[in-house]
Amino acid sequence: MPQEVSHPLPAPSRKRNASENSQMEFEAKSARDGARYDVATFLLHRSLETGDLEALVRFAGFRPEEDEWVNIRRQRSLPCESSECVVVLPGDLILCFQEGKEQAKYFDAHVLVAQRRRHDVRGCRCRFLARYDHDQSEASVQRIQN
């Protein structure tokens, strides 16, 4: 049975564009747990023999001993605002907030089914069945405009 999650898409640090804010913010996927975190600092970068680019990052709120090399040629998750839900299609990579008994984190997920619903004064009422990449669990997610 799918797990019910009430607030997916997108991570709160994601900025619409650089002109709206004088400082850009980034997020990256941790190899430790597969969750996405805000990047506080880019420390180093390197090019691998495969042609991939990596950066040594310090995640916001983490200590130096937890710095990680992350791939920076990754496909971005699809940002979704209530007015942009029509562009979300089955197979799209999205960012969903997953709450568990001991954790609440953002993870990559792929849309399996998109159920379009009429928008009202509360915002988007569409629902999406998504499969989380890190554990293959499925959840019904909904975007409610704040």
Side-chain angles (χ1 to χ4, degrees):
M1 175 118 174
Q3 169 188 354
E4 188 69 27
V5 179
S6 61
H7 41 280
L9 328 173
S13 67
R14 181 133 319 141
K15 301 298 179 192
R16 283 218 152 279
N17 61 47
S19 65
E20 290 181 15
N21 298 293
S22 59
Q23 181 179 355
M24 292 185 67
E25 295 183 19
F26 297 91
E27 52 87 21
K29 183 176 178 178
S30 170
R32 288 187 181 96
D33 63 5
R36 295 203 161 271
Y37 298 98
D38 292 337
V39 173
T41 307
F42 287 91
L43 303 166
L44 297 170
H45 70 277
R46 66 185 179 194
S47 180
L48 303 177
E49 291 177 12
T50 61
D52 286 345
L53 300 173
E54 288 187 325
L56 182 63
V57 300
R58 179 160 308 139
F59 293 116
F62 286 76
R63 299 181 305 267
E65 59 269 16
E66 297 172 299
D67 293 348
E68 284 189 50
W69 285 99
V70 296
N71 188 311
I72 57 176
R73 291 182 85 184
R74 171 199 178 275
Q75 178 184 0
R76 290 185 56 166
S77 302
L78 183 66
C80 294
E81 295 298 328
S82 60
S83 62
E84 299 170 327
C85 62
V86 295
V87 301
V88 179
L89 300 171
D92 283 347
L93 176 64
I94 59 174
L95 192 61
C96 291
F97 190 69
Q98 184 183 53
E99 290 185 82
K101 292 178 182 174
E102 298 182 20
Q103 69 177 6
K105 299 177 181 177
Y106 285 94
F107 292 98
D108 287 337
H110 282 84
V111 175
L112 300 175
V113 177
Q115 289 182 327
R116 309 290 177 205
R117 296 203 174 149
R118 181 175 224 145
H119 293 196
D120 61 23
V121 295
R122 295 173 289 181
C124 177
R125 307 305 294 162
C126 298
R127 299 180 69 77
F128 305 93
L129 178 62
R131 179 177 294 133
Y132 289 94
D133 290 357
H134 73 288
D135 66 2
Q136 298 302 301
S137 65
E138 294 180 5
S140 176
V141 296
Q142 178 179 349
R143 171 68 175 157
I144 299 173
Q145 187 175 14
N146 296 336

